[in-house]
Amino acid sequence: MKHETHQNQIISAKLFNSQRYIHSLIVYFLFFGSGLVIGISLTFYLKDVPITLKKKLFTIQPSPPLIVPPKSRPPPSLPIFHQEQDVTMNNNIKRKIPGVGRIGLTDYIKPPEAMHDMMDDELIWRASMIPKAKIFPFNRTPKVAFMFLARGSLPLAPLWERFFRGHEGRYSIYIHSQPSFKGDAPEEGPIFHGRRVPSKRVDWGEFSMVDAERRLLANALLDMSNERFVLLSEACIPLYNFTTIYTYIMNSTKTFVESYDEWGPVGRGRYNSQMTPWVTIEQWRKGSQWFELDREIALDMITDQKYFNLFKDFCRPACYSDEHYLPTFVTMRYWWKNGNRTLTWVDWTKGGPHPTKFARTEVTKELLHQMRTGIQCMYNGEPTNMCYLFARKFLPSALDRLLKFAPKVMMF
């Protein structure tokens, strides 16, 4: 009896344990199934959640920064506004630009001082910068640069002052004097003051003459309003008034560099065969050093190294570079836009290496009329007897008679 009771207890315990195991198994499957369902649902939900929100949900956010009490903070820096500046635009509309001391092209287009501390290579580098845009974004009056190659002062300055008077803004003046010149020029008025450029020694017949011409051109090119460039000497005079000369030069379709093929000893006879093949004897030209150039040729001349160095090495006295370099250079590169004549009248009838000089008693109305209308030439494809705008070589003693005849003959 006891044995049966004991067996029944054992069987009941086994059944109880089996039931507990089955119950635990069911609970485990319920939890597993619930987790699986939740995981699948969450996966489908997160597919539609933006990435930025996922980052917010699953990224640990840093603690907010410590807030500094207002009393311990430094006072905020306020923007500083200078006095408003008027800026006149190209369409004549004025705009107020606050807080600015320099505007746009103001400093860039301002004509620089003639005297500076640039070396020749620095000057040429600076002068060779050209804008590619053909339309100027500012009001610009084209000017003629009058470049005087002088030993010292300009003894005929009072005549030139009368010529320039009332035409400010349409001309620029540049003077290249010998470095030994100390600046004592009481005959020069205010328009010439401060117009001397840094210079170097120039010797007659030497290549230094070409150097001086390039130096004058480079200084004149710094002013972007200078459109035409005239080389003169201290012994030159104008034959017409300013308006006539300005109009003649500005309206010309040609530049004026005298260039011709001279077969004699002072022409082809000065050619050096070592310049072949860059310059042949057929390309060799001679002409007056007193030229008129446009901006394109002037820029090309100051930056030229090939022909410049060739003439420097192989055109030495009795080859005079100032009579051959530019005529040859322009004919080789710009023959189609050159008038092949000079605008400066000179008398070579007496022969020799120097032209005729005119003292006081030799200056007459007839002489000036002859200089103004004595020959015929071509201007813009039409014949004209107005071929020379300037003349030389006048001595300082001729000044008073020139001032006397200027209003009647030259009309200024």
Side-chain angles (χ1 to χ4, degrees):
M1 187 73 179
K2 289 181 179 180
H3 179 70
E4 290 179 359
T5 302
H6 180 68
Q7 286 182 340
N8 290 333
Q9 290 177 346
I10 292 173
I11 292 170
S12 297
K14 288 181 178 181
L15 289 172
F16 178 76
N17 290 336
S18 299
Q19 290 175 350
R20 288 183 60 189
Y21 174 78
I22 292 171
H23 181 266
S24 299
L25 189 62
I26 291 171
V27 172
Y28 171 80
F29 275 112
L30 287 174
F31 274 107
F32 176 79
S34 300
L36 184 62
V37 171
I38 293 172
I40 293 171
S41 301
L42 187 60
T43 300
F44 282 102
Y45 168 76
L46 289 177
K47 286 183 179 180
D48 298 325
V49 176
I51 295 175
T52 53
L53 182 58
K54 291 180 185 179
K55 290 182 179 179
K56 290 183 180 180
L57 291 173
F58 297 103
T59 302
I60 299 176
Q61 300 294 328
S63 301
L66 181 64
I67 299 176
V68 180
K71 290 183 179 181
S72 63
R73 289 182 182 176
S77 58
L78 298 175
I80 300 175
F81 291 93
H82 300 284
Q83 185 177 0
E84 291 183 336
Q85 181 171 349
D86 284 350
V87 182
T88 303
M89 310 305 287
N90 200 38
N91 57 2
N92 296 323
I93 298 176
K94 288 188 176 181
R95 298 181 182 178
K96 297 283 189 178
I97 308 295
V100 181
R102 177 180 177 275
I103 294 295
L105 298 173
T106 303
D107 289 346
Y108 187 73
I109 64 177
K110 180 181 178 181
E113 298 294 332
M115 186 56 68
H116 52 76
D117 60 357
M118 286 185 284
M119 304 295 288
D120 280 355
D121 56 346
E122 297 172 327
L123 170 65
I124 289 175
W125 181 84
R126 172 66 182 85
S128 64
M129 295 182 179
I130 57 174
K132 294 294 185 182
K134 300 301 181 183
I135 300 176
F136 291 90
F138 54 90
N139 294 326
R140 174 181 178 270
T141 300
K143 295 190 293 186
V144 176
F146 292 83
M147 307 178 301
F148 292 89
L149 185 58
R151 293 181 177 86
S153 66
L154 302 178
L156 303 178
L159 180 70
W160 283 101
E161 286 185 64
R162 185 181 293 184
F163 168 80
F164 287 122
R165 188 178 301 155
H167 301 285
E168 292 75 15
R170 295 201 291 169
Y171 67 87
S172 301
I173 297 173
Y174 302 88
I175 308 169
H176 187 292
S177 298
Q178 294 283 29
S180 58
F181 176 68
K182 303 304 181 183
D184 184 18
E187 67 273 21
E188 294 179 8
I191 65 169
F192 296 104
H193 293 172
R195 300 315 302 167
R196 279 179 167 78
V197 303
S199 62
K200 292 184 179 180
R201 180 181 173 87
V202 178
D203 293 308
W204 183 86
E206 299 288 342
F207 194 78
S208 56
M209 192 78 74
V210 177
D211 274 327
E213 293 172 4
R214 295 210 329 168
R215 199 172 295 120
L216 277 167
L217 278 172
N219 278 280
L221 283 166
L222 293 177
D223 187 342
M224 288 185 295
S225 292
N226 288 332
E227 197 66 35
R228 308 295 287 241
F229 306 83
V230 179
L231 182 67
L232 302 162
S233 77
E234 76 272 22
C236 288
I237 66 166
L239 292 175
Y240 297 87
N241 60 41
F242 182 89
T243 301
T244 302
I245 289 179
Y246 179 89
T247 303
Y248 190 101
I249 291 175
M250 284 297 179
N251 290 344
S252 175
T253 59
K254 301 284 187 179
T255 57
F256 299 96
V257 177
E258 187 178 49
S259 177
Y260 55 91
D261 187 4
E262 171 65 60
W263 283 73
V266 297
R268 289 197 178 196
R270 295 175 177 175
Y271 174 76
N272 190 330
S273 60
Q274 290 181 281
M275 304 178 84
T276 306
W278 301 280
V279 176
T280 66
I281 193 169
E282 291 78 19
Q283 295 170 318
W284 184 257
R285 293 293 183 271
K286 176 180 168 62
S288 170
Q289 75 175 111
W290 311 109
F291 59 75
E292 188 280 325
L293 300 177
D294 64 10
R295 196 170 182 89
E296 180 184 15
I297 299 179
L299 281 165
D300 201 10
M301 180 182 171
I302 69 163
T303 55
D304 167 51
Q305 290 296 316
K306 179 180 177 180
Y307 301 105
F308 179 81
N309 290 324
L310 196 67
F311 276 80
K312 187 175 184 179
D313 292 338
F314 301 118
C315 181
R316 299 176 180 179
C319 176
Y320 304 114
S321 293
D322 57 299
E323 296 181 1
H324 296 282
Y325 166 67
L326 189 60
T328 302
F329 178 80
V330 170
T331 301
M332 292 179 66
R333 297 177 62 84
Y334 298 98
W335 59 267
W336 50 273
K337 66 185 305 185
N338 185 40
N340 289 333
R341 62 183 177 92
T342 179
L343 294 179
T344 302
W345 188 97
V346 184
D347 181 11
W348 290 100
T349 57
K350 295 182 180 180
H354 300 287
T356 302
K357 296 179 181 179
F358 298 97
R360 180 183 183 278
T361 56
E362 295 167 304
V363 177
T364 63
K365 290 182 180 180
E366 292 72 27
L367 176 66
L368 296 175
H369 280 301
Q370 179 188 350
M371 294 174 176
R372 286 161 52 100
T373 59
I375 66 170
Q376 276 206 338
C377 59
M378 299 297 291
Y379 176 78
N380 289 350
E382 299 292 334
T384 179
N385 61 357
M386 185 179 174
C387 303
Y388 296 112
L389 305 182
F390 312 97
R392 65 188 306 267
K393 199 172 184 179
F394 290 85
L395 297 178
S397 62
L399 177 61
D400 61 339
R401 288 182 69 85
L402 289 169
L403 289 172
K404 177 183 177 181
F405 293 138
K408 301 175 183 178
V409 180
M410 288 93 89
M411 302 301 172
F412 64 87

